[in-house]
Amino acid sequence: MLPELLGEIMERVEASEDRWPQRQNVVTCACVCKKWREAMREIVRASSPGSGKITFPSCLKQPGPSDFPNHCIIKRCKKNSTFYLFLSLTPSFTDKGKFLLAARRYRHGAHIEYIISLDADDLSQSSNAYVGKLSSDFLGTNFTIYDTQPPHSGAKPSSSRTSRRFASKRISPQVPAGNFEVGKVSYKFNLLKSRGPRRMVCSVKCPLPEERADKHLDDSKAKIAEGAAPGLAILKNKAPRWHEHLQCWCLNFHGRVTVASVKNFQLAATVDPSQPAGKGDEEKVLLQFGKVGDDTFTMDYRSPLSPYLAFAICLTSFGTKLACE
């Protein structure tokens, strides 16, 4: 079989898959001969940042497309405090699409944790499918995002008591696993109880595409705003405007949000390491999240955010925040 024909077959398989393609099938194809191995390598590279494709689990930790947002759906199950992330394959809000990640909320004393997994049915921190977690303070206003893989070479895992090593088949078995801090999300207090939506600030470590390929940053390509750490993106929610006729706060979600909710938000970057000089475009929405049904929400993200980081940020919006509303 010609490598070109093999590539076309794999691309069609990817387009038809509503779940992850079996890794063993890809490896089997790559083992046939050198030409097939090279073809498989190019197909895997085609799912890199900028392509907008999510073919393999490793893509969940890579930045999304730059020119257009990836559209996703989050389904909530209140009965067991579980959230499911799907990549939208059609414009419909009712079609689940391709399953990507799942998260379950656990209470540890006064703190809340969200365990994030590749397996919708196995949501424990000791699972092979565990990919990271989200932890909150006792007020539910400050969150820390942890990844099982280091955001850059030389990163040290968290020293918290819950941090430990895990045997993993999830992203890259050659990379040491642990709980590495990759982001923080903070909701500002509303001490005066003034009318208005929540205000949030996010600082997340977003590796550039070069780092994913070479495991290090080229300093000449990674010039960012003064005072910011390499690869650090700082995002703030866009302030809505008050609509006198409707008597509510409004943001333009371009038809992707249909239900008014305090959970709805749009984030833009003040610091973006993927842009020249690291300066973000505060008018360009990098992540938007909003309600379209009782337990259905949309999540649209783009570079420099990865699906994993975007999902973790959106999870912070669930739950009551009396100090912020």
Side-chain angles (χ1 to χ4, degrees):
M1 184 186 299
L2 294 174
E4 292 80 6
L5 182 57
L6 176 64
E8 185 176 345
I9 292 173
M10 287 298 296
E11 288 175 2
R12 291 186 180 184
V13 169
E14 177 196 39
S16 65
E17 287 280 354
D18 61 352
R19 281 183 172 265
W20 298 116
Q22 292 295 316
R23 187 177 182 86
Q24 64 182 18
N25 296 340
V26 179
V27 174
T28 300
C29 289
C31 290
V32 173
C33 65
K34 183 178 180 181
K35 286 188 177 181
W36 280 34
R37 186 157 51 252
E38 292 174 351
M40 288 296 97
R41 187 178 293 115
E42 290 303 317
I43 292 170
V44 173
R45 285 176 179 171
S47 61
S48 62
S51 68
K53 296 182 180 179
I54 302 179
T55 310
F56 303 106
S58 59
C59 301
L60 293 171
K61 303 294 180 71
Q62 296 175 344
S66 301
D67 300 329
F68 55 89
N70 264 347
H71 293 169
C72 300
I73 294 289
I74 295 178
K75 295 282 187 177
R76 175 178 62 182
C77 180
K78 291 182 179 178
K79 184 178 180 180
N80 56 12
S81 300
T82 306
F83 307 84
Y84 305 94
L85 176 66
F86 300 88
L87 178 67
S88 298
L89 302 178
T90 67
S92 173
F93 296 143
T94 57
D95 293 340
K96 286 186 177 179
K98 179 177 182 177
F99 171 76
L100 300 181
L101 289 167
R104 179 168 293 167
R105 181 169 54 205
Y106 295 91
R107 178 172 290 278
H108 295 284
H111 302 268
I112 297 292
E113 278 192 353
Y114 292 83
I115 302 301
I116 306 175
S117 172
L118 286 171
D119 191 333
D121 301 316
D122 192 355
L123 290 146
S124 67
Q125 199 165 342
S126 59
S127 166
N128 281 342
Y130 169 72
V131 293
K133 68 176 183 177
L134 174 72
S135 298
S136 77
D137 62 2
F138 71 99
L139 288 176
T141 56
N142 294 296
F143 296 82
T144 304
I145 305 170
Y146 295 95
D147 194 340
T148 55
Q149 292 186 306
H152 54 80
S153 58
K156 295 182 179 180
S158 168
S159 58
S160 64
R161 289 183 297 175
T162 56
S163 178
R164 49 172 289 193
R165 295 176 65 88
F166 300 94
S168 172
K169 64 181 181 182
R170 48 198 174 271
I171 299 295
S172 177
Q174 296 179 350
V175 178
N179 280 325
F180 298 87
E181 184 179 317
V182 293
K184 287 184 177 294
V185 181
S186 298
Y187 289 82
K188 293 185 177 181
F189 289 111
N190 185 4
L191 299 177
L192 300 178
K193 297 296 180 181
S194 58
R195 296 175 65 187
R198 297 169 176 171
R199 294 177 298 164
M200 58 190 297
V201 178
C202 308
S203 58
V204 290
K205 298 174 183 176
C206 301
L208 298 176
E210 290 82 4
E211 183 175 0
R212 288 296 180 185
D214 304 325
K215 304 301 180 185
H216 69 275
L217 287 172
D218 184 342
D219 292 336
S220 64
K221 295 181 179 180
K223 294 180 181 178
I224 62 173
E226 184 178 356
L232 183 70
I234 300 176
L235 300 87
K236 294 183 179 180
N237 67 305
K238 295 188 68 174
R241 61 180 180 84
W242 178 254
H243 197 292
E244 286 292 342
H245 180 68
L246 298 177
Q247 288 294 295
C248 65
W249 296 95
C250 295
L251 273 174
N252 185 5
F253 288 94
H254 302 282
R256 291 286 295 165
V257 177
T258 58
V259 180
S261 172
V262 71
K263 297 179 178 65
N264 301 348
F265 66 78
Q266 290 181 331
L267 293 181
T270 57
V271 173
D272 185 349
S274 67
Q275 299 300 318
K279 186 173 178 60
D281 181 357
E282 297 188 23
E283 294 301 317
K284 183 178 181 180
V285 175
L286 301 183
L287 173 63
Q288 76 172 23
F289 170 80
K291 193 172 185 179
V292 293
D294 287 341
D295 294 301
T296 305
F297 303 81
T298 58
M299 183 193 89
D300 302 339
Y301 73 96
R302 63 171 71 202
S303 178
L305 293 176
S306 65
Y308 172 75
L309 284 176
F311 185 44
I313 293 172
C314 290
L315 288 175
T316 68
S317 190
F318 292 100
T320 304
K321 298 173 176 58
L322 296 177
C324 305
E325 298 169 1

